[in-house]
DNA sequence: TTGTAGGCGTTATCAC
DNA sequence: GTGATAACGCCTACAA
């Protein structure tokens, strides 16, 4: 592999009989440079195919204009939409995104955080893995005042911002809706309860049962990996129950859709025998039959909000610490899988 | 925002009464440094919380260890799995990924390519947008010998590598299968025919019709945006046809699933009235009813292959130009949506 | 085996 | 308005 020699501001300066500093200033529209020299400089830059060297600039300025993103996995619709929002903002504001996935493992998350740290990202956007216990691996960032924004799966920390939805309220709303439809025995299938999203949905679920005078018992709860297979397994487990539920609230749509399919294949009528609700408003909810009741989770918007907040802070436009929790609007979407009337 | 002073190799050198060069060498396991000094150096590095400055190193080495990725959109299952594969390889080999999306627009793709170029990525992984006509925006890279690997939506160029599946063969297989199931009038719903993936599937489809003695005519072809809405629209269009097809081959699963739903809602029996097949083996195929016949498209594997090839080339392990087209294995998956027997 | 010195390209600080 | 100079932190001939 062979590298061509790149033109530098020195080369431009020589060609224009100017000093490198003038060229540097001219290139970045400094007010103290005359219009005419600016024009000359940018013309010559084009002619010599000059491109600014980000690394020299970063080195000098001690900034990287790079933001690290750590997500549980790339292959989920929700994550993909969040990233799309982040990418849009970053692109517009001249930042780059370095994306990595923890694959739901704390160990990998720690390694990723370290890589991000060594790459001197200017800031970090994080959604935590299933089994992350604490956030020691981010103390590096906090100590060095590198801003950290959590989204979706967050860890409340007074020096970090969070972008979330109201999981409690939505969990409550889903459950209350199932109760209104006549469900008396509602199973909740969810993920690791250390994670805020699952914990709060669960709390909302319990509160709704309580509010309606229904009794919660542990056998109504199933903690799973919340993927395709978990949905299938959950369906099979339910089929084997002595006392089957008449309603199921699953904490995500992929699991819900797969669970529903297993139940239907075994002769269960949805929603007559069992009413089902998921969470996320994944496109999958609109192709399964019956269409799945769910909660709209505005990933794209959240990505935009998280990235904008971080970048505004980095650019000195606003101070991230003034608001350290943003709750994005979300709402129940009722469809046939839970509609009995 | 306030930045702490970072320790440099000079600080380590001073603390250890060594020279900066020894420290530099010790840190990267240079063979000419004695075990004992290496140990001392790495201990001190830990103690002083030293982290290597990538930018200084990049500046010096004229390499960035960064790979640019341009995809049509992040929010597709296929793309997400490809990225997951790429991320894995990059992470293992010490490279970073800068990811951007063209949103199916040539204009945005051009802008993204420029950003990547200015960020001096060491290499580029690209899947083209719907409406990209040519690849002028990549000539910069080619001229400077920055390696370029296309995947999925490729542009055949003698200096670039491609990672693809055999779209022709699979298009042929899908269509032949529908014919075997008794279909006589098979509609093909696909994307912009400038893109290899759609063009070749279409060619395979036509060839299969021809091989079976069926006649192709233009009214059997529908070119769409291939998203959720396109599937719905396609379903409605088919319902209004004077002469309805008895088989549909759609070039992706999301479109297929949505199209199928519209047909079913209007009383069409799948597969008895119309047999349907999609493409990609998206998880959606396994939750819709009937389950969708499709083509397995190994995204994760393709991501790994594309990234590995690029990085091996960058690291001088292999020469990318020796093989400039890799065809990954893929195959027809027959499910109920097309099975009449 | 370790040390010296110069340069990678940019920008901030002074000076004029 | 423009120019000279000194960092930013690292790497690698070349010297010792």
């Amino acid at each position: 592999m062979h590298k061509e020699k790149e033109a530098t501001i020195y080369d431009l300066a020589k060609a224009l009989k100017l000093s490198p500093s003038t060229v540097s200033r001219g290139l970045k529209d400094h007010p103290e440079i005359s219009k005419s020299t600016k024009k000359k400089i940018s013309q010559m830059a084009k002619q010599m195919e000059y491109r600014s060297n980000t690394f020299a600039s970063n080195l000098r300025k001690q900034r990287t204009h790079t933001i690290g993103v750590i997500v549980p996995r790339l292959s989920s619709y929700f994550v993909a939409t969040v990233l799309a929002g982040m990418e849009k903002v970053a692109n517009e504001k001249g930042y780059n995104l370095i994306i990595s996935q923890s694959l739901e493992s704390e160990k990998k998350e720690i390694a990723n955080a370290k890589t991000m740290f060594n790459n001197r990202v200017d800031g970090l956007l994080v959604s935590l893995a299933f089994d992350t216990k604490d956030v020691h691996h981010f103390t590096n960032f906090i100590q060095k005042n590198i801003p950290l924004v959590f989204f979706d799966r967050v860890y409340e920390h007074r020096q970090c911002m969070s972008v979330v939805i109201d999981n409690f309220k939505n969990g409550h709303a889903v459950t209350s809706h199932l109760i209104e439809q006549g469900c008396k025995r509602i199973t909740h299938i969810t993920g690791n309860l250390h994670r805020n999203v699952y914990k709060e949905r669960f709390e909302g679920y319990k509160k709704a049962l309580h509010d309606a005078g229904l009794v919660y018992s542990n056998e109504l709860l199933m903690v799973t990996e919340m993927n395709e297979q978990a949905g299938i397994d959950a369906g099979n487990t339910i089929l084997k129950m002595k006392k089957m539920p008449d309603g199921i609230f699953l904490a995500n749509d992929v699991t819900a859709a797969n669970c529903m399919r297993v139940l239907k294949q075994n002769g269960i009528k949805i929603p007559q025998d069992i009413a089902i609700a998921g969470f996320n408003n994944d496109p999958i909810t609109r192709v399964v039959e019956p269409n799945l009741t769910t909660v709209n989770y505005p990933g794209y918007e959240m990505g935009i909000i998280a990235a904008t907040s971080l970048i505004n802070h980095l650019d000195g436009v606003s101070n991230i610490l003034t608001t350290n929790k943003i709750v994005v609007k979300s709402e129940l979407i009722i469809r046939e899988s839970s509609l009995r009337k």
Side-chain angles (χ1 to χ4, degrees), chain A residues 137-243:
Chain A
H137 44 304
F138 297 120
T139 48
N140 270 341
F141 294 88
I142 293 166
Q143 275 172 9
K144 299 232 188 237
N145 280 303
I146 300 168
L148 192 51
V149 175
F150 289 106
F151 62 93
D152 185 42
R153 310 239 202 112
V154 308
Y155 183 93
E156 310 236 341
H157 188 293
R158 73 185 188 298
Q159 290 177 63
C160 302
M161 202 180 104
S162 298
V163 181
V164 291
I165 58 166
D166 191 335
N167 286 289
F168 176 86
K169 193 198 76 182
N170 283 300
H172 190 282
V174 169
T175 313
S176 298
H177 162 70
L178 290 173
I179 294 169
E180 278 168 26
Q181 298 297 311
C183 299
K184 302 281 183 213
R185 185 175 175 79
I186 301 169
T187 291
H188 183 41
I189 299 175
T190 189
N192 191 318
L193 292 175
H194 284 112
R195 287 285 74 74
N196 63 305
V197 289
Y198 302 120
K199 180 155 185 289
E200 291 165 12
R201 288 170 203 177
F202 175 53
E203 298 295 346
Y205 154 83
K206 279 200 297 190
K207 182 68 164 43
L209 293 187
H210 183 262
D211 289 353
L214 296 175
V215 186
Y216 167 75
S217 80
N218 283 331
E219 60 201 15
L220 292 173
L221 178 69
M222 288 175 60
V223 175
T224 76
E225 295 293 317
M226 299 309 281
N227 49 25
E228 191 174 341
Q229 189 58 46
I232 295 169
D233 295 345
N236 287 318
T237 304
I238 286 167
L239 288 168
K240 288 194 205 108
M241 286 180 175
K242 283 164 282 183
K243 203 171 165 186

Side-chain angles (χ1 to χ4, degrees), chain A residues 9 28 63 75 87 104 114 117 140-141 145 147 158 176 178 198 213 257-258 266 279 284 301 325:
Chain A
I9 51 170
K28 49 194 311 238
R63 294 270 311 270
S75 47
E87 195 271 342
E104 302 289 10
K114 195 170 178 184
F117 188 68
N140 270 341
F141 294 88
N145 280 303
R158 73 185 188 298
S176 298
L178 290 173
Y198 302 120
N258 281 282
N266 286 274
F279 209 103
I284 208 176
E301 195 186 339
K325 187 165 176 178

